[in-house]
Short mmCIF file of all heavy atoms in Angstrom, two decimals:
data_model
loop_
_atom_site.label_atom_id
_atom_site.label_comp_id
_atom_site.label_asym_id
_atom_site.label_seq_id
_atom_site.Cartn_x
_atom_site.Cartn_y
_atom_site.Cartn_z
N GLY A 94 120.49 91.80 100.62
CA GLY A 94 120.09 92.97 101.37
C GLY A 94 119.66 94.13 100.49
O GLY A 94 119.70 94.05 99.24
N ASN A 95 119.23 95.22 101.11
CA ASN A 95 118.74 96.38 100.38
C ASN A 95 119.76 96.88 99.35
O ASN A 95 120.94 97.06 99.66
CB ASN A 95 118.42 97.52 101.35
CG ASN A 95 117.06 97.38 101.97
OD1 ASN A 95 116.16 96.79 101.39
ND2 ASN A 95 116.88 97.93 103.16
N HIS A 96 119.28 97.10 98.14
CA HIS A 96 120.15 97.62 97.08
C HIS A 96 119.28 98.20 95.96
O HIS A 96 118.08 97.93 95.89
CB HIS A 96 121.05 96.51 96.52
CG HIS A 96 120.30 95.41 95.82
ND1 HIS A 96 119.57 94.45 96.51
CD2 HIS A 96 120.14 95.12 94.50
CE1 HIS A 96 119.03 93.61 95.65
NE2 HIS A 96 119.34 94.01 94.42
N ILE A 97 119.90 98.99 95.12
CA ILE A 97 119.29 99.48 93.89
C ILE A 97 120.15 98.99 92.74
O ILE A 97 121.38 99.06 92.78
CB ILE A 97 119.20 101.02 93.87
CG1 ILE A 97 118.21 101.50 94.94
CG2 ILE A 97 118.77 101.53 92.49
CD1 ILE A 97 118.09 103.01 95.06
N ASP A 98 119.53 98.44 91.72
CA ASP A 98 120.27 97.88 90.59
C ASP A 98 121.04 98.97 89.85
O ASP A 98 120.65 100.14 89.84
CB ASP A 98 119.31 97.19 89.61
CG ASP A 98 118.61 95.99 90.25
OD1 ASP A 98 119.22 95.35 91.12
OD2 ASP A 98 117.45 95.72 89.87
N GLY A 99 122.15 98.56 89.24
CA GLY A 99 122.94 99.50 88.47
C GLY A 99 122.12 100.17 87.38
O GLY A 99 121.26 99.55 86.76
N ALA A 100 122.39 101.44 87.12
CA ALA A 100 121.59 102.21 86.17
C ALA A 100 121.83 101.79 84.73
O ALA A 100 120.91 101.85 83.90
CB ALA A 100 121.90 103.70 86.33
N VAL A 101 123.04 101.37 84.41
CA VAL A 101 123.39 100.97 83.04
C VAL A 101 124.19 99.67 83.13
O VAL A 101 125.08 99.54 83.96
CB VAL A 101 124.23 102.06 82.33
CG1 VAL A 101 124.63 101.61 80.94
CG2 VAL A 101 123.46 103.37 82.27
N MET A 102 123.85 98.71 82.28
CA MET A 102 124.54 97.42 82.28
C MET A 102 124.96 97.04 80.87
O MET A 102 124.32 97.45 79.88
CB MET A 102 123.65 96.33 82.86
CG MET A 102 123.27 96.57 84.32
SD MET A 102 122.43 95.14 85.03
CE MET A 102 122.02 95.79 86.66
N ASN A 103 126.02 96.25 80.79
CA ASN A 103 126.48 95.75 79.50
C ASN A 103 125.79 94.44 79.16
O ASN A 103 125.62 93.58 80.03
CB ASN A 103 128.00 95.50 79.54
CG ASN A 103 128.78 96.78 79.60
OD1 ASN A 103 128.43 97.76 78.96
ND2 ASN A 103 129.85 96.78 80.39
N ALA A 104 125.37 94.33 77.92
CA ALA A 104 124.81 93.06 77.44
C ALA A 104 125.95 92.05 77.32
O ALA A 104 127.01 92.37 76.79
CB ALA A 104 124.12 93.26 76.11
N PRO A 105 125.76 90.83 77.83
CA PRO A 105 126.83 89.82 77.79
C PRO A 105 127.33 89.58 76.37
O PRO A 105 126.54 89.46 75.43
CB PRO A 105 126.17 88.57 78.36
CG PRO A 105 125.04 89.09 79.20
CD PRO A 105 124.55 90.32 78.49
N GLY A 106 128.65 89.54 76.23
CA GLY A 106 129.25 89.21 74.95
C GLY A 106 129.21 90.31 73.91
O GLY A 106 129.45 90.05 72.73
N SER A 107 128.85 91.53 74.30
CA SER A 107 128.81 92.62 73.34
C SER A 107 129.18 93.93 74.03
O SER A 107 129.32 93.99 75.25
CB SER A 107 127.41 92.74 72.72
OG SER A 107 126.51 93.37 73.62
N SER A 108 129.31 94.98 73.23
CA SER A 108 129.61 96.31 73.78
C SER A 108 128.33 97.12 73.99
O SER A 108 128.40 98.28 74.38
CB SER A 108 130.54 97.07 72.83
OG SER A 108 129.93 97.22 71.54
N GLN A 109 127.18 96.51 73.76
CA GLN A 109 125.91 97.21 73.91
C GLN A 109 125.63 97.50 75.38
O GLN A 109 125.80 96.65 76.24
CB GLN A 109 124.77 96.38 73.32
CG GLN A 109 123.42 97.08 73.33
CD GLN A 109 122.32 96.21 72.77
OE1 GLN A 109 122.30 95.01 72.96
NE2 GLN A 109 121.38 96.82 72.06
N ARG A 110 125.21 98.72 75.66
CA ARG A 110 124.88 99.14 77.01
C ARG A 110 123.38 99.42 77.09
O ARG A 110 122.79 100.00 76.19
CB ARG A 110 125.69 100.38 77.41
CG ARG A 110 127.17 100.07 77.51
CD ARG A 110 128.02 101.33 77.63
NE ARG A 110 127.79 102.04 78.88
CZ ARG A 110 128.32 101.69 80.04
NH1 ARG A 110 129.11 100.63 80.11
NH2 ARG A 110 128.10 102.39 81.12
N ILE A 111 122.78 98.98 78.19
CA ILE A 111 121.33 99.06 78.35
C ILE A 111 121.01 99.81 79.64
O ILE A 111 121.53 99.49 80.71
CB ILE A 111 120.70 97.66 78.37
CG1 ILE A 111 120.90 96.98 77.00
CG2 ILE A 111 119.21 97.72 78.71
CD1 ILE A 111 120.35 95.58 76.93
N ARG A 112 120.14 100.81 79.54
CA ARG A 112 119.67 101.54 80.73
C ARG A 112 118.59 100.71 81.40
O ARG A 112 117.64 100.27 80.76
CB ARG A 112 119.12 102.90 80.30
CG ARG A 112 118.77 103.83 81.47
CD ARG A 112 118.18 105.14 80.97
NE ARG A 112 116.88 104.94 80.35
CZ ARG A 112 116.61 105.23 79.07
NH1 ARG A 112 117.53 105.75 78.29
NH2 ARG A 112 115.40 105.00 78.59
N THR A 113 118.69 100.50 82.69
CA THR A 113 117.78 99.61 83.40
C THR A 113 116.58 100.38 83.94
O THR A 113 116.47 100.62 85.14
CB THR A 113 118.52 98.88 84.54
OG1 THR A 113 119.08 99.86 85.44
CG2 THR A 113 119.64 98.02 84.00
N ASP A 114 115.66 100.72 83.06
CA ASP A 114 114.44 101.43 83.47
C ASP A 114 113.55 100.55 84.35
O ASP A 114 112.91 101.04 85.28
CB ASP A 114 113.64 101.86 82.24
CG ASP A 114 114.39 102.85 81.37
OD1 ASP A 114 115.11 103.70 81.92
OD2 ASP A 114 114.26 102.75 80.14
N LEU A 115 113.51 99.25 84.04
CA LEU A 115 112.63 98.32 84.74
C LEU A 115 113.41 97.08 85.16
O LEU A 115 114.27 96.59 84.42
CB LEU A 115 111.47 97.90 83.84
CG LEU A 115 110.45 98.99 83.50
CD1 LEU A 115 109.70 98.64 82.23
CD2 LEU A 115 109.48 99.17 84.65
N SER A 116 113.09 96.58 86.34
CA SER A 116 113.62 95.31 86.82
C SER A 116 112.49 94.29 86.82
O SER A 116 111.32 94.64 87.02
CB SER A 116 114.17 95.46 88.24
OG SER A 116 115.22 96.41 88.29
N ALA A 117 112.85 93.02 86.61
CA ALA A 117 111.82 91.98 86.57
C ALA A 117 112.33 90.72 87.24
O ALA A 117 113.51 90.36 87.11
CB ALA A 117 111.43 91.67 85.13
N THR A 118 111.45 90.05 87.95
CA THR A 118 111.73 88.74 88.55
C THR A 118 110.63 87.77 88.14
O THR A 118 109.44 88.07 88.30
CB THR A 118 111.80 88.83 90.09
OG1 THR A 118 112.88 89.68 90.47
CG2 THR A 118 112.01 87.44 90.69
N LEU A 119 111.03 86.64 87.60
CA LEU A 119 110.10 85.57 87.19
C LEU A 119 110.33 84.38 88.11
O LEU A 119 111.43 83.82 88.18
CB LEU A 119 110.37 85.19 85.73
CG LEU A 119 109.59 83.99 85.17
CD1 LEU A 119 108.10 84.24 85.19
CD2 LEU A 119 110.07 83.67 83.75
N PHE A 120 109.28 83.97 88.83
CA PHE A 120 109.39 82.92 89.83
C PHE A 120 109.22 81.53 89.20
O PHE A 120 108.35 81.32 88.37
CB PHE A 120 108.33 83.12 90.91
CG PHE A 120 108.58 84.33 91.78
CD1 PHE A 120 108.27 85.61 91.32
CD2 PHE A 120 109.11 84.20 93.04
CE1 PHE A 120 108.50 86.72 92.11
CE2 PHE A 120 109.34 85.30 93.84
CZ PHE A 120 109.04 86.57 93.38
N PHE A 121 110.07 80.58 89.65
CA PHE A 121 109.97 79.19 89.21
C PHE A 121 109.42 78.27 90.30
O PHE A 121 109.10 77.12 90.02
CB PHE A 121 111.34 78.66 88.77
CG PHE A 121 111.81 79.22 87.47
CD1 PHE A 121 113.01 79.90 87.40
CD2 PHE A 121 111.06 79.07 86.32
CE1 PHE A 121 113.45 80.43 86.20
CE2 PHE A 121 111.50 79.60 85.11
CZ PHE A 121 112.70 80.27 85.05
N CYS A 122 109.35 78.76 91.54
CA CYS A 122 108.87 77.95 92.66
C CYS A 122 107.60 78.56 93.24
O CYS A 122 107.48 79.78 93.34
CB CYS A 122 109.94 77.88 93.75
SG CYS A 122 111.52 77.18 93.20
N ASP A 123 106.67 77.71 93.63
CA ASP A 123 105.45 78.19 94.28
C ASP A 123 105.75 78.63 95.72
O ASP A 123 106.70 78.14 96.34
CB ASP A 123 104.39 77.10 94.28
CG ASP A 123 103.78 76.89 92.90
OD1 ASP A 123 103.49 77.90 92.24
OD2 ASP A 123 103.59 75.73 92.51
N PRO A 124 104.95 79.55 96.26
CA PRO A 124 105.21 80.06 97.61
C PRO A 124 105.31 78.98 98.68
O PRO A 124 106.07 79.13 99.64
CB PRO A 124 104.01 80.98 97.85
CG PRO A 124 103.61 81.45 96.49
CD PRO A 124 103.85 80.27 95.60
N ASP A 125 104.56 77.87 98.54
CA ASP A 125 104.60 76.82 99.55
C ASP A 125 105.88 75.98 99.48
O ASP A 125 106.14 75.16 100.38
CB ASP A 125 103.39 75.90 99.40
CG ASP A 125 102.09 76.58 99.78
OD1 ASP A 125 102.15 77.61 100.49
OD2 ASP A 125 101.02 76.09 99.38
N ASP A 126 106.67 76.16 98.42
CA ASP A 126 107.89 75.36 98.27
C ASP A 126 109.01 75.81 99.18
O ASP A 126 110.00 75.09 99.36
CB ASP A 126 108.38 75.42 96.81
CG ASP A 126 107.46 74.72 95.84
OD1 ASP A 126 106.64 73.90 96.29
OD2 ASP A 126 107.54 75.01 94.63
N TYR A 127 108.91 77.02 99.72
CA TYR A 127 110.01 77.55 100.53
C TYR A 127 109.47 78.58 101.52
O TYR A 127 108.41 79.17 101.31
CB TYR A 127 111.09 78.17 99.64
CG TYR A 127 110.60 79.30 98.75
CD1 TYR A 127 110.81 80.63 99.09
CD2 TYR A 127 109.93 79.04 97.55
CE1 TYR A 127 110.37 81.66 98.27
CE2 TYR A 127 109.49 80.05 96.73
CZ TYR A 127 109.71 81.37 97.09
OH TYR A 127 109.27 82.39 96.28
N ASP A 128 110.22 78.79 102.60
CA ASP A 128 109.89 79.82 103.58
C ASP A 128 110.86 80.98 103.42
O ASP A 128 112.06 80.78 103.18
CB ASP A 128 110.01 79.27 105.01
CG ASP A 128 108.95 78.23 105.32
OD1 ASP A 128 107.88 78.25 104.67
OD2 ASP A 128 109.19 77.38 106.20
N GLY A 129 110.33 82.19 103.59
CA GLY A 129 111.15 83.38 103.37
C GLY A 129 111.24 83.65 101.88
O GLY A 129 110.40 83.22 101.08
N GLY A 130 112.29 84.37 101.48
CA GLY A 130 112.52 84.62 100.05
C GLY A 130 111.61 85.64 99.42
O GLY A 130 111.52 85.72 98.19
N GLU A 131 110.92 86.46 100.24
CA GLU A 131 110.07 87.51 99.68
C GLU A 131 110.93 88.59 99.00
O GLU A 131 111.99 88.97 99.52
CB GLU A 131 109.20 88.16 100.76
CG GLU A 131 108.11 87.27 101.32
CD GLU A 131 108.59 86.36 102.43
OE1 GLU A 131 109.79 86.44 102.79
OE2 GLU A 131 107.77 85.58 102.95
N LEU A 132 110.50 89.04 97.86
CA LEU A 132 111.09 90.21 97.22
C LEU A 132 110.38 91.43 97.78
O LEU A 132 109.19 91.62 97.54
CB LEU A 132 110.91 90.13 95.70
CG LEU A 132 111.36 91.36 94.90
CD1 LEU A 132 112.85 91.63 95.07
CD2 LEU A 132 111.01 91.18 93.41
N VAL A 133 111.10 92.24 98.55
CA VAL A 133 110.51 93.41 99.19
C VAL A 133 110.95 94.64 98.43
O VAL A 133 112.15 94.93 98.32
CB VAL A 133 110.93 93.51 100.67
CG1 VAL A 133 110.29 94.73 101.33
CG2 VAL A 133 110.55 92.23 101.41
N ILE A 134 109.98 95.36 97.88
CA ILE A 134 110.24 96.52 97.02
C ILE A 134 109.71 97.78 97.70
O ILE A 134 108.54 97.82 98.11
CB ILE A 134 109.57 96.34 95.64
CG1 ILE A 134 110.05 95.04 94.98
CG2 ILE A 134 109.84 97.54 94.75
CD1 ILE A 134 109.23 94.64 93.76
N GLU A 135 110.55 98.77 97.81
CA GLU A 135 110.13 100.06 98.36
C GLU A 135 109.72 100.96 97.20
O GLU A 135 110.54 101.27 96.34
CB GLU A 135 111.28 100.71 99.15
CG GLU A 135 111.89 99.84 100.23
CD GLU A 135 110.97 99.63 101.42
OE1 GLU A 135 110.00 100.41 101.55
OE2 GLU A 135 111.23 98.72 102.21
N ASP A 136 108.44 101.35 97.17
CA ASP A 136 108.00 102.25 96.10
C ASP A 136 107.20 103.40 96.69
O ASP A 136 107.18 103.60 97.90
CB ASP A 136 107.20 101.49 95.04
CG ASP A 136 105.86 100.95 95.55
OD1 ASP A 136 105.47 101.30 96.68
OD2 ASP A 136 105.21 100.20 94.81
N THR A 137 106.56 104.18 95.84
CA THR A 137 105.85 105.38 96.29
C THR A 137 104.67 105.04 97.19
O THR A 137 104.16 105.91 97.90
CB THR A 137 105.35 106.19 95.09
OG1 THR A 137 104.56 105.34 94.24
CG2 THR A 137 106.53 106.73 94.29
N TYR A 138 104.23 103.78 97.18
CA TYR A 138 103.10 103.37 98.00
C TYR A 138 103.56 102.63 99.25
O TYR A 138 102.76 102.02 99.95
CB TYR A 138 102.14 102.50 97.19
CG TYR A 138 101.57 103.21 96.00
CD1 TYR A 138 102.07 102.99 94.72
CD2 TYR A 138 100.54 104.14 96.16
CE1 TYR A 138 101.55 103.65 93.62
CE2 TYR A 138 100.03 104.82 95.06
CZ TYR A 138 100.53 104.57 93.79
OH TYR A 138 100.03 105.24 92.71
N GLY A 139 104.85 102.66 99.54
CA GLY A 139 105.38 101.99 100.71
C GLY A 139 106.08 100.70 100.36
O GLY A 139 106.50 100.49 99.21
#
Side-chain angles (χ1 to χ4, degrees):
N95 277 333
H96 65 286
I97 293 177
D98 296 329
V101 178
M102 297 189 184
N103 290 321
S107 77
S108 60
Q109 185 181 36
R110 294 168 66 80
I111 295 178
R112 188 182 67 241
T113 58
D114 297 323
L115 292 158
S116 300
T118 297
L119 174 62
F120 291 78
F121 288 121
C122 302
D123 286 317
D125 291 341
D126 292 341
Y127 58 101
D128 292 335
E131 290 84 1
L132 174 61
V133 181
I134 303 168
E135 306 289 344
D136 67 9
T137 54
Y138 299 101

